[in-house]
Amino acid sequence: MTALQEKAKDVLINNWREKFTIPCANLYPFQWKWDSGFIAIGLSYFDIEKAKIELNTLLDAQWGNGFIPHIVFHTDNDSYFPGAKFHRSDLHPLASKTHKSTGMTQPPVLGFVLEKMYQIAANKNEFLSYIESVIDKVYFNHEYFYNNRDPKNEGLVYIYHNWESGTDNSPIWDDIWETMNPPEYEFERRDTTHVDASERPSKREYDHYLHIIEIAKKHNYDDVKIAKHSPFLIQDPLFNAMLIKSNESLINLYKLIGNNLAKIQQLENWQVKAKNSFNAKLFDENIGAYSHYDLRNEKLLPYLSSSSFSPIFANIPDQNRANQMVETMLQKFGNENQYLCASFDPTHQRFNPKKYWRGPVWINLNWILYNGLKNYEFDAIAQRVKSDTIAIIEKNGFYEYFDSRKEKHETGAAGYGGNDFSWSAALLIDMLEN
Ligand code: GLC
């Protein structure tokens, strides 16, 4: 391991809490779904047993319908809002009886995480038996998505809350907020006691976030009713690309295990349908990449974000489209004053390079894009994403997100949000191994 990898390893060791890893101290004191997946990849390089425990702990919180929640509240820590008491996962009849959680989910990364861990594992046979012990739970989770989150049977699943996207306050959602007028909730924010308010969502944005949860709670987190009543109903290219990539990995892993023909067949059917619809519905010629589809208002939301390029990670576009996407990326996000890859279009008026998902660079998206660019043999650009990622971490530390403007990095104060952030550390370890 290099010196930087050793530092990353220390971040993960410090963020370990008996059976799972927190994303970072103070700000995020519980277990988050997609964080856990990325973290397990990093852990696998130096403690694969811990990586297994990380995933097992998350999977223990799976619901009776296959759903895996976005936050599992393992402790009664009240330094986080909204916590378990607000979310009330117990309202759903099939929610876990042993774990409190939210009633929403996050991008389905576990399939490709398992495959990646298999590639890292020194003892393949032993790791394959571990995979055998958990893979059906991940398959069950995919079945949940296709059976409950795809009302038009298109092979594309929806998210009903911006927190399900993982890209919490993306400017894309502003269009949805314009269709809503939630009450002014009274609550005590905890995030802004840990992090500068200029780097976090606004109070009014939080009103919208809470209001959608109130609607879902009113319907006891029933998917059919949520699909009918949620003002936020989006087919997100990042979320669906994660699902498609994970389908692909599950197919590979079931083939390694042997048997399981019916599941492989089902996964292959989902793949064909999902990729066709994805390409037909989510590619936006006007912006030269994929965008988000608003199912509630039946229209594409015509914005470029780092999510727009994530389908290259899941082998979704053909080579021509991939060329077009990379051209768009370089043109809009890639001028020499910017680090790759800003989370939102730097040429757009809604771009804000300091504020969370409205512009800063995030390491997990860079990792996804780096691997996607390599899939299509854009080696030089992949290399640029990798060296940008290393540079911003070396200059600032393992922050949650980073200013995309290079000039801001001269002082070493261009890392924002939480520090010693787990997935920044975990995915850097992996990138440096490549
Ligand atoms: C923020 C991010 C989300 C992440 C969570 C925990 O809410 O937007 O993607 O999972 O923090 O790190």
Side-chain angles (χ1 to χ4, degrees):
M1 280 203 168
T2 65
L4 195 58
Q5 282 175 312
E6 289 292 346
K7 279 194 193 161
K9 183 174 153 185
D10 285 343
V11 169
L12 293 181
I13 290 173
N14 288 332
N15 287 344
W16 178 254
R17 298 288 180 276
E18 276 173 49
K19 52 183 182 158
F20 70 98
T21 308
I22 54 168
C24 78
N26 304 324
L27 194 55
Y28 304 119
F30 311 108
Q31 184 175 31
W32 265 255
K33 180 187 177 191
W34 75 328
D35 296 67
S36 257
F38 294 129
I39 290 163
I41 292 174
L43 288 176
S44 298
Y45 283 101
F46 62 94
D47 194 342
I48 203 151
E49 291 310 313
K50 249 188 188 174
K52 291 181 194 166
I53 298 172
E54 177 82 40
L55 296 190
N56 290 345
T57 304
L58 179 68
L59 290 169
D60 279 348
Q62 186 168 33
W63 293 9
N65 59 353
F67 175 90
I68 300 175
H70 115 282
I71 304 176
V72 187
F73 299 105
H74 293 291
T75 57
D76 286 330
N77 194 325
D78 63 1
S79 69
Y80 184 85
F81 177 84
K85 283 196 206 95
F86 185 87
H87 285 282
R88 295 278 322 271
S89 55
D90 60 296
L91 291 171
H92 192 286
L94 295 174
S96 165
K97 302 286 179 257
T98 50
H99 292 76
K100 291 180 190 157
S101 72
T102 60
M104 65 178 85
T105 188
Q106 259 191 335
V109 299
L110 296 183
F112 70 77
V113 164
L114 281 177
E115 187 179 21
K116 181 78 206 176
M117 288 166 76
Y118 177 77
Q119 287 156 5
I120 299 166
N123 186 340
K124 304 282 183 218
N125 279 338
E126 195 267 341
F127 198 75
L128 198 57
S129 14
Y130 170 68
I131 291 178
E132 268 192 86
S133 72
V134 291
I135 191 169
D136 285 348
K137 297 182 185 171
V138 182
Y139 178 88
F140 187 28
N141 184 234
H142 289 209
E143 207 169 43
Y144 159 79
F145 280 122
Y146 289 116
N147 291 344
N148 297 285
R149 294 291 191 105
D150 182 14
K152 295 188 175 164
N153 206 4
E154 300 170 283
L156 295 176
V157 306
Y158 69 73
I159 53 174
Y160 81 84
H161 196 288
N162 52 304
W163 284 338
E164 292 200 311
S165 69
T167 59
D168 299 9
N169 71 333
S170 171
I172 299 162
W173 317 136
D174 294 4
D175 285 24
I176 312 299
W177 310 148
E178 278 165 20
T179 70
M180 294 170 61
N181 187 19
E184 295 265 357
Y185 289 99
E186 280 203 22
F187 56 91
E188 202 186 321
R189 288 271 292 272
R190 300 297 161 88
D191 56 332
T192 42
T193 62
H194 308 299
V195 169
D196 194 288
S198 68
E199 298 164 20
R200 299 284 304 178
S202 68
K203 154 77 170 68
R204 194 60 187 142
E205 283 176 301
Y206 257 78
D207 287 335
H208 292 89
Y209 307 169
L210 299 181
H211 190 56
I212 308 172
I213 299 173
E214 291 294 7
I215 294 171
K217 277 159 65 178
K218 192 167 123 203
H219 299 292
N220 298 329
Y221 291 115
D222 179 303
D223 287 305
V224 175
K225 294 192 178 134
I226 287 174
K228 224 167 137 199
H229 300 288
S230 173
F232 188 108
L233 213 66
I234 302 283
Q235 290 167 325
D236 179 326
L238 173 64
F239 196 99
N240 279 279
M242 299 296 97
L243 184 58
I244 290 172
K245 179 68 182 177
S246 284
N247 281 337
E248 181 186 300
S249 292
L250 291 185
I251 293 171
N252 296 338
L253 294 174
Y254 274 127
K255 284 186 177 162
L256 279 173
I257 293 169
N259 303 316
N260 291 294
L261 293 181
K263 285 180 194 140
I264 293 173
Q265 188 58 55
Q266 177 62 76
L267 284 158
E268 280 168 352
N269 293 346
W270 285 331
Q271 277 303 68
V272 172
K273 194 164 167 184
K275 285 192 183 182
N276 283 339
S277 297
F278 200 116
N279 277 311
K281 196 172 181 185
L282 303 185
F283 195 78
D284 191 336
E285 289 290 347
N286 297 325
I287 63 170
Y290 294 86
S291 58
H292 295 66
Y293 190 85
D294 175 356
L295 259 187
R296 175 60 65 235
N297 303 295
E298 293 291 1
K299 59 176 189 199
L300 274 175
L301 301 172
Y303 303 104
L304 280 171
S305 62
S306 46
S307 303
S308 302
F309 309 115
S310 62
I312 52 176
F313 178 66
N315 301 304
I316 293 167
D318 62 18
Q319 189 66 46
N320 277 340
R321 265 196 184 164
N323 294 344
Q324 196 183 342
M325 289 162 73
V326 170
E327 218 171 279
T328 305
M329 184 199 284
L330 291 180
Q331 217 178 52
K332 298 272 188 170
F333 295 65
N335 89 43
E336 57 191 19
N337 307 322
Q338 294 278 336
Y339 282 116
L340 284 174
C341 182
S343 46
F344 191 71
D345 183 352
T347 67
H348 197 282
Q349 53 167 11
R350 289 184 189 170
F351 173 71
N352 178 341
K354 275 190 82 169
K355 214 174 178 75
Y356 214 35
W357 289 96
R358 302 182 75 88
V361 176
W362 287 73
I363 303 304
N364 63 334
L365 261 297
N366 270 18
W367 182 87
I368 287 166
L369 298 181
Y370 167 70
N371 285 291
L373 289 163
K374 285 204 306 185
N375 280 344
Y376 289 80
E377 295 176 7
F378 295 110
D379 292 338
I381 305 156
Q383 199 47 47
R384 184 172 155 196
V385 172
K386 177 174 170 175
S387 50
D388 283 5
T389 306
I390 297 168
I392 59 180
I393 291 178
E394 266 178 343
K395 284 176 202 267
N396 304 283
F398 292 95
Y399 273 89
E400 187 181 4
Y401 40 99
F402 300 85
D403 207 301
S404 61
R405 299 164 299 181
K406 285 191 179 163
E407 66 194 89
K408 295 285 164 193
H409 290 252
E410 278 147 26
T411 57
Y416 303 136
N419 193 1
D420 290 337
F421 189 73
S422 295
W423 82 38
S424 301
L427 297 176
L428 182 87
I429 295 179
D430 180 62
M431 270 196 180
L432 287 174
E433 288 295 323
N434 267 280

